[in-house]
Amino acid sequence: MKIDMKQPILDKNDAIARELRERFAEHHVYVVDLLASPGSGKTSTILATIDALRDEFNIAVIEGDIASSVDAEKIKAQGIAAVQINTGGACHLESAMIKRAIDVLDLERLDLIIVENVGNLVCPTDFDLGENAKVMILSVPEGDDKPLKYPGVFQVSEAVILNKVDTMPVFNFNQEAFEESVNQLNPQAPIFPLSATTGEGLEAWTSWLAERIRKA
């Protein structure tokens, strides 16, 4: 006899995610679930996004990490509400964790919640958090072959940020091959090349996001 433990877990997760999505819609809050590997530049991209959008939108961040509150403290230092979730070893966030996190946030005052998921290209793809969009960050040093090795995360993402593009010559990153692979997996997802040093490309990403927040 084979017992499938995954489906009951996902069913429970999805039920809570539906409740969350209704709450977010009721309060017109747009929610982004940010997926990436450790070191890809998630937190720095979040900080840059906050800086670009904070004059128009009220923003909060939910930080998912196995341990520590380092990233949440960086967000709070910018005057932005941040809730830290430590998974204690779990490789992803689940909707029940998000439900507890938003209980300490004032949804009536928020326009955007950015969820920084645990650094992982596999587990978070299966778990609906009630978000409006999953967005992936890939940094150039990780290699242009990642869509071939981890297709799932590209397939579920509504947009892809290609970070640290300044380092392409160093790592022999083939941007054309990368974009072709992403387009084959997910032709609807825009790709936003971004410089982590100069910020070039940030406006295209934040304009895309701002348009969706306004429609929430």
Side-chain angles (χ1 to χ4, degrees):
M1 177 184 293
K2 182 178 179 180
I3 299 175
D4 183 359
M5 295 300 297
K6 180 179 179 181
Q7 199 56 48
I9 292 172
L10 290 177
D11 288 346
K12 181 179 179 181
N13 181 85
D14 291 349
I16 298 174
R18 287 191 291 271
E19 295 176 11
L20 289 172
R21 187 165 284 114
E22 291 175 1
R23 288 183 65 183
F24 295 143
E26 178 184 351
H27 291 90
H28 303 286
V29 179
Y30 193 85
V31 180
V32 172
D33 180 15
L34 200 58
L35 311 177
S37 298
S40 62
K42 293 193 299 297
T43 305
S44 60
T45 301
I46 289 172
L47 289 169
T49 301
I50 288 170
D51 191 51
L53 298 179
R54 66 187 305 160
D55 288 343
E56 182 176 358
F57 305 110
N58 291 320
I59 305 169
V61 177
I62 297 174
E63 286 285 347
D65 291 293
I66 291 176
S68 89
S69 60
V70 173
D71 291 340
E73 295 304 322
K74 291 179 182 178
I75 302 297
K76 290 177 181 177
Q78 302 304 312
I80 298 297
V83 181
Q84 180 70 55
I85 299 175
N86 290 134
T87 66
C91 60
H92 59 272
L93 295 178
E94 298 181 10
S95 58
M97 300 175 186
I98 302 301
K99 185 176 181 179
R100 291 194 296 271
I102 65 169
D103 284 342
V104 301
L105 295 173
D106 186 356
L107 294 183
E108 292 186 0
R109 298 186 59 190
L110 292 176
D111 303 300
L112 170 67
I113 296 176
I114 301 174
V115 179
E116 182 175 347
N117 216 311
V118 179
N120 189 327
L121 293 183
V122 181
C123 304
T125 62
D126 287 334
F127 287 82
D128 185 355
L129 304 181
E131 75 281 346
N132 295 89
K134 291 186 186 296
V135 173
M136 186 201 172
I137 299 178
L138 181 87
S139 64
V140 164
E142 296 173 72
D144 53 39
D145 59 353
K146 287 301 175 288
L148 303 177
K149 294 182 176 181
Y150 301 94
V153 69
F154 292 92
Q155 290 170 331
V156 302
S157 296
E158 293 198 21
V160 176
I161 297 172
L162 179 60
N163 202 15
K164 306 181 184 180
V165 294
D166 321 69
T167 65
M168 280 189 186
V170 177
F171 293 97
N172 296 316
F173 188 96
N174 188 327
Q175 184 174 358
E176 183 177 350
F178 169 78
E179 293 187 354
E180 182 178 350
S181 296
V182 173
N183 289 333
Q184 288 177 352
L185 292 168
N186 190 347
Q188 308 302 321
I191 301 171
F192 299 105
L194 179 61
S195 166
T197 55
T198 68
E200 184 178 355
L202 181 68
E203 184 177 355
W205 150 244
T206 55
S207 295
W208 179 90
L209 180 57
E211 180 182 352
R212 282 150 183 79
I213 298 170
R214 295 186 192 106
K215 294 178 180 178

